[in-house]
Amino acid sequence: MIPAAFDYVAPTTVDSAVRALAEAGDEAKVIAGGQSLLPVLRMRLAAPTKLIDLGRIPEMRGVRDGGDHLVIGAMTTHYDVQRDPLVAEHAELIKLATDTVADPQVRHRGTFGGSLAHADPAGDLLAPALALDARFIVSGMDGRRTVSAADFFVDFFTTALHQAEILVEVHVPKHTGWTAHYEKFQRVAQAWSIVGVAATVRAEAGKIAEARIALTNMASVPIRATAVEDALIGKQATAENIKSAAEHAAEGTSPTTDGNADPAYRQHLARVLTSRALTAAAGV
């Protein structure tokens, strides 16, 4: 199908993009890589009067060192995130999760910030951002503000972004020396996660000193598996301890029913995948 007619603008600065969005009002849409929006437009499930393309704003691309954190521009493609040495060194969990996003064609066009702002609970980057305590820098008519990952995701496909705000960049605290793994279960390759687990740990003398685990598609937003974290910290990194801790993975979750799974099956998957993710992350 052909999308409904719309006006198109491609600003070159964040400020001009925000102004265009504010002037257009609720009938405008922002497009980043377009991997989620374009299919919706073609099916006419959305018919914006104006499309604001962020692809020509240089400051929204790339990865840089921010001191105690990494700064990842919202328009940085998945392909570039995968191959960035700073991400590999300081935020391995982000790199590993990005490796599982869709297919190479999508990863060359899709963007880090676009995936996060889309807020699909089955998306693979939301849980890693939550696990690493990422901070979202958004820009609006009143300037810029910072939103924590815990507050950014509000509900299904809903974020804390206001109508005339744009996600500019994401600050990811450095987790240098931490080991990580992203484990997902899907029916076919390149599909969305039925359930996913983002896990990263820091070990000292064979014990788990710190652990961060977040779950994909176990609620309307990504959630931290804090009961698993608490059960692991201070314990020896053994297969038995990991399996025991992983039994807590489904606590506090509220998975939905769809054509892929019911809540009981998703909770079972959460326990199994958490055990696998932690085993791989800890190198057991």
Side-chain angles (χ1 to χ4, degrees):
M1 293 180 65
I2 300 173
F6 55 80
D7 293 328
Y8 173 85
V9 293
T12 57
T13 67
V14 172
D15 288 345
S16 59
V18 169
R19 282 196 301 272
L21 186 57
E23 291 169 1
D26 294 337
E27 297 304 313
K29 288 286 186 183
V30 170
I31 186 168
Q35 300 307 292
S36 298
L37 181 59
L38 285 177
V40 172
L41 294 179
R42 291 185 63 186
M43 292 185 287
R44 298 202 177 193
L45 297 176
T49 57
K50 179 173 284 188
L51 201 61
I52 301 166
D53 188 348
L54 304 181
R56 298 182 186 178
I57 305 178
E59 71 173 282
M60 292 181 66
R61 292 187 180 275
V63 180
R64 67 180 187 273
D65 194 322
D68 63 350
H69 62 274
L70 299 182
V71 180
I72 304 179
M75 287 297 293
T76 308
T77 64
H78 301 311
Y79 177 85
D80 288 337
V81 170
Q82 281 181 285
R83 284 155 180 77
D84 190 276
L86 289 174
V87 175
E89 181 180 1
H90 301 297
E92 183 186 21
L93 183 57
I94 296 289
K95 181 258 188 297
L96 295 175
T98 305
D99 287 345
T100 75
V101 172
D103 54 39
Q105 183 176 4
V106 170
R107 291 195 292 270
H108 273 77
R109 291 291 305 171
T111 64
F112 185 69
S115 294
L116 293 169
H118 186 52
D120 186 334
D124 293 304
L125 300 183
L126 284 64
L130 178 64
L132 297 179
D133 282 336
R135 301 183 298 276
F136 295 72
I137 312 303
V138 303
S139 182
M141 293 298 290
D142 296 327
R144 297 192 177 188
R145 64 189 181 100
T146 301
V147 183
S148 69
D151 294 327
F152 186 78
F153 305 109
V154 176
D155 206 341
F156 292 101
F157 301 100
T158 305
T159 70
L161 286 171
H162 298 156
Q163 184 274 322
E165 286 187 325
I166 290 171
L167 175 61
V168 177
E169 60 193 27
V170 180
H171 293 184
V172 181
K174 289 182 179 178
H175 285 71
T176 315
W178 290 53
T179 53
H181 187 74
Y182 185 73
E183 186 79 18
K184 65 187 286 185
F185 182 83
Q186 73 269 60
R187 293 181 62 185
V188 296
Q190 305 166 359
W192 300 102
S193 291
I194 295 174
V195 174
V197 178
T200 186
V201 300
R202 183 176 66 82
E204 289 182 356
K207 292 184 177 181
I208 303 296
E210 295 182 83
R212 294 180 174 274
I213 302 107
L215 307 177
T216 298
N217 216 10
M218 287 297 292
S220 62
V221 296
I223 55 176
R224 284 277 291 274
T226 54
V228 178
E229 297 171 358
D230 293 341
L232 275 178
I233 294 174
K235 300 289 181 61
Q236 291 288 333
T238 65
E240 182 179 353
N241 285 338
I242 287 173
K243 184 177 181 179
S244 176
E247 288 299 309
H248 298 283
E251 294 178 10
T253 64
S254 53
T256 59
T257 296
D258 58 23
N260 292 313
D262 63 13
Y265 184 50
R266 279 197 162 93
Q267 290 175 334
H268 165 74
L269 285 174
R271 291 186 286 268
V272 172
L273 299 181
T274 297
S275 180
R276 291 179 183 176
L278 286 168
T279 298
V284 176

